[in-house]
Amino acid sequence: MKRSGVAGLLVAAAMLIPIAPATANPVDDLFGSASGSLDSGSAALGSSGDKVTHYGKLGRAGAPNGVKSINVWAYNPKGAKETTPGTFAKNSRLGVRWNSIIASGPIVDGNECRMEVRLAGPKVPKEAALYKTQDCTAVKSYFFKGGGNFTIRVTDLISGASNSIAFSVE
């Protein structure tokens, strides 16, 4: 059956508009829920009211991508259990998830950044020590066979914003 006129255009337009549930949370859609003990990163500190709180080293004013700060969390894709807060067992897949924030608070979810993700700790292989991406909001995981104290720092080279997360593996 052929549709024409305004009614046909409205039906066609309605079919193109994605509808998300009223409870949809874009951060949860990207990374899963931000609740739980692993969320000891900067954004887990939270803020209340209308004032936006920025963590880590702040980005330069007037940066072309608008990034003011970066929130970081320990990322645990396989559900590795903490032996004590901030400490994980050897042979675990762990890493970092991050989002970039503009001055007024919204997340930058695009590829306007020049991120460097640096893993520091004992016996880190050279190929794992530095990861580069243009994604302003993303995740990066690593497999930890050995133990030690580790730090993952996420830096946007365009704005200068950076933040890090530290944890132990034993």
Side-chain angles (χ1 to χ4, degrees):
M1 170 158 87
K2 183 177 181 183
R3 296 182 186 222
S4 62
V6 174
L9 288 173
L10 290 175
V11 169
M15 291 171 46
L16 296 174
I17 300 172
I19 299 175
T23 60
N25 181 335
V27 173
D28 286 352
D29 291 345
L30 285 172
F31 302 118
S33 175
S35 62
S37 62
L38 279 180
D39 293 320
S40 58
S42 57
L45 300 173
S47 61
S48 60
D50 294 332
K51 186 175 183 221
V52 176
T53 304
H54 295 281
Y55 299 96
K57 180 182 174 217
L58 301 183
R60 290 182 290 280
N65 61 5
V67 172
K68 178 74 171 184
S69 64
I70 301 171
N71 293 321
V72 298
W73 300 266
Y75 175 59
N76 182 359
K78 299 287 184 181
K81 302 294 180 201
E82 289 178 281
T83 56
T84 59
T87 303
F88 300 89
K90 293 179 186 175
N91 298 315
S92 297
R93 181 159 289 283
L94 305 165
V96 64
R97 64 183 186 174
W98 70 89
N99 63 30
S100 300
I101 308 294
I102 64 172
S104 61
I107 294 172
V108 179
D109 187 22
N111 61 356
E112 299 86 19
C113 294
R114 216 167 78 206
M115 295 296 195
E116 287 190 351
V117 180
R118 293 186 181 273
L119 172 61
K123 299 183 182 176
V124 172
K126 185 177 180 180
E127 62 273 5
L130 176 62
Y131 171 75
K132 296 180 180 185
T133 182
Q134 293 180 337
D135 295 328
C136 298
T137 297
V139 298
K140 173 66 178 149
S141 66
Y142 306 89
F143 188 78
F144 291 87
K145 288 192 249 182
N149 296 320
F150 296 89
T151 302
I152 302 175
R153 174 166 297 283
V154 180
T155 304
D156 174 32
L157 297 178
I158 293 174
S159 67
S162 69
N163 206 343
S164 64
I165 188 83
F167 55 92
S168 297
V169 176
E170 47 181 53

